[in-house]
Structures are given as C-alpha cells and as structure tokens.
Amino acid sequence: MFVLDACRQRVLGFFARGRPVAADAGGFGPRCAHRCEVPDLSAGRGEGEGFVQFMKTLDGGRISIGAMSLGIAQAALDASVRYSKERKQFGRSIADFQAIQLLLADMVTELEAARLLVYATARLKDRGQPFTRFSAMAKLKASTVAMRAADAAVQIHGGAGYMTDHPVERYFRDAKLMEIGEGTSQIQKLIIAREILREAGHRIGG
Ligand SMILES: Cc1cc2nc3c(=O)[nH]c(=O)nc-3n(C[C@H](O)[C@H](O)[C@H](O)COP(=O)(O)OP(=O)(O)OC[C@H]3O[C@@H](n4cnc5c(N)ncnc54)[C@H](O)[C@@H]3O)c2cc1C
C-alpha cells in the first residue's frame, strides 16, 4: 500500500505488509512520483492508529472508486450507442440488430442501478451515518458494472474496439483497475459479509 501526494508530486509513504518501504512508483500509468520521501506520518495521531486511519480513508475512497466506475460505464455506453448508429453491416446500422440492442439495454440498466447505490452511499456519508458496508457494496457493484460495460463496448465495436483509435480499449483497462484498487472485489465481499453478520450480532471467528 502506498500514499501519493498528487499536488506536490511526491510519495508520502510506502507500506508493504505493515512495514514502510522506500521504492519508486513505476510500473503503471496513473503515477506522479519522482522521488520517495517518507516523513513522519504519525503527526497528530497516536502510535499504532495508522491502520484504523487507513481503513477509514478506504471507506470514503471506495465511494470515489464507485463514482469513477460510473463514469467509465457511462463513457462505454455513450461510445457504444454512437458507434452502433454509425457502423453499417449488411446494409444497416448495427444498432438495428437486436443482439446489439440487448447489450445496450443491459449496460444502461446496470449502470442506473449502480448509480443509485453509489449516490445512496454518498448520502449516508454526508449525513454522518455508518457507511462501511454500503461503500464496499457500491464499489463492488459499480466496478463490476463498469467492467461489464467496457466488455460489451469492446464487443459492440468488434475488431475496432481492440484498437487504440477508439477509447473503449482504454475503458476496458481502466475498468479492471476499479475491481482491484482500494481493495479487490473479493475483499469487498468479505467486508460486506463481515458487516452484515456484525449487524446481526455475529463476530466472524469470535
Ligand atoms: C494501477 C494501480 C494503481 C494503484 N494505486 C494505488 C494507490 O494509489 N495507493 C495504494 O495504496 N494502492 C494502490 N494500488 C494497489 C491496490 O490497492 C492493490 O493492488 C490492491 O489492493 C490488491 O492488493 P494486491 O495487489 O496486494 O493483491 P493481493 O492481496 O496479493 O491479492 C491477489 C488476489 O488474491 C485475492 N485475495 C487476497 N486476499 C484474499 C482473502 N483474504 N480472501 C479472498 N481473496 C483474497 C485478491 O482478491 C486477488 O484476487 C494500485 C494498484 C494498481 C494496479
């Protein structure tokens, strides 16, 4: 796990299995680290409270990942509607084929359902109500929907969808990150199960 300060373009800290590690943030696209400085991150917080602080940060961050997922799914849908109107096969727009229409219908229905969940979670946070379970559910659902939408968008674009001329191949890659960053989909499910059981008075392993 690591923390980036995008404005000042420096790494605030790297953590691997609980230990700070000095390293460069190379190897993936969205980075902004040029050098690694690890200042005292415990300022203002008691020793050993960093983990709890990180967990709270992740709860909020998962709403952001949910919102980013909605953006990817919306972009994938918009590109698919546009392309299916333009692309002609067998003398007709591919939008006239029911096979394409079914994909579009699923994309927009799943997107709007995910949107409601993400917005409901943001409202809980704004009202100061518990939202740990909801942020995990919103991230899980919205990232899954983004991945499916990106997949369908590439399919609707056919071979063109695989090329960098169209943005949908990037949506596919971006959507995959939504299922991994800030905790993978599997971890979200574990959080959701833990929370629903805790709400029912059961502590896992307790
Ligand atoms: C492009 C990109 C940007 C990133 N940006 C940041 C960032 O800015 N800040 C930051 O802190 N991190 C960042 N990350 C890291 C990201 O949060 C982690 O990759 C993610 O949390 C998964 O951790 P991991 O890679 O160690 O996978 P692992 O924990 O090794 O997981 C590997 C697989 O095992 C599964 N798994 C692991 N544990 C369990 C379990 N208990 N039960 C069931 N399944 C399990 C996972 O779901 C996954 O399928 C970024 C990652 C990428 C790819």
Side-chain angles (χ1 to χ4, degrees):
M1 176 178 279
F2 48 91
V3 181
L4 301 179
D5 181 338
C7 301
R8 295 162 70 188
Q9 296 206 329
R10 62 179 193 153
V11 178
L12 291 181
F14 274 81
F15 295 83
R17 299 192 192 285
R19 288 168 307 172
V21 175
D24 193 5
F28 56 82
R31 69 177 183 270
C32 61
H34 300 304
R35 61 203 167 91
C36 180
E37 293 175 15
V38 185
D40 179 9
L41 292 175
S42 64
R45 312 240 172 241
E47 194 176 336
E49 288 179 20
F51 182 73
V52 174
Q53 200 56 38
F54 259 128
M55 290 303 106
K56 285 185 181 165
T57 306
L58 286 176
D59 277 349
R62 284 174 186 144
I63 302 177
S64 307
I65 299 283
M68 281 192 266
S69 301
L70 296 182
I72 294 168
Q74 183 72 62
L77 174 65
D78 293 346
S80 299
V81 168
R82 209 166 35 242
Y83 186 79
S84 62
K85 281 164 52 189
E86 288 166 6
R87 175 70 174 165
K88 299 273 192 300
Q89 282 294 36
F90 304 97
R92 317 162 63 177
S93 293
I94 61 169
D96 290 345
F97 300 136
Q98 287 187 333
I100 299 294
Q101 293 166 15
L102 298 182
L103 288 172
L104 295 175
D106 282 343
M107 286 167 89
V108 70
T109 305
E110 290 190 348
L111 168 60
E112 297 306 344
R115 199 190 308 277
L116 290 174
L117 188 52
V118 172
Y119 285 10
T121 307
R123 271 195 298 275
L124 284 178
K125 182 172 188 295
D126 284 349
R127 291 180 189 148
Q129 293 173 306
F131 66 98
T132 296
R133 174 162 65 86
F134 269 78
S135 66
M137 293 193 305
K139 194 236 182 219
L140 174 66
K141 185 66 190 172
S143 61
T144 304
V145 165
M147 195 64 222
R148 284 195 196 136
D151 187 18
V154 171
Q155 202 67 25
I156 287 169
H157 283 68
Y162 202 75
M163 310 293 171
T164 52
D165 311 14
H166 293 273
V168 290
E169 59 83 27
R170 181 166 59 80
Y171 300 152
F172 196 90
R173 191 157 31 89
D174 289 348
K176 195 64 212 169
L177 175 59
M178 302 298 116
E179 293 188 322
I180 295 173
E182 305 248 357
T184 60
S185 297
Q186 288 87 344
I187 297 300
Q188 304 313 312
K189 289 179 187 175
L190 296 182
I191 294 169
I192 295 161
R194 182 196 66 198
E195 290 296 305
I196 197 80
L197 288 168
R198 191 181 57 73
E199 289 163 23
H202 180 80
R203 193 163 172 219
I204 296 173

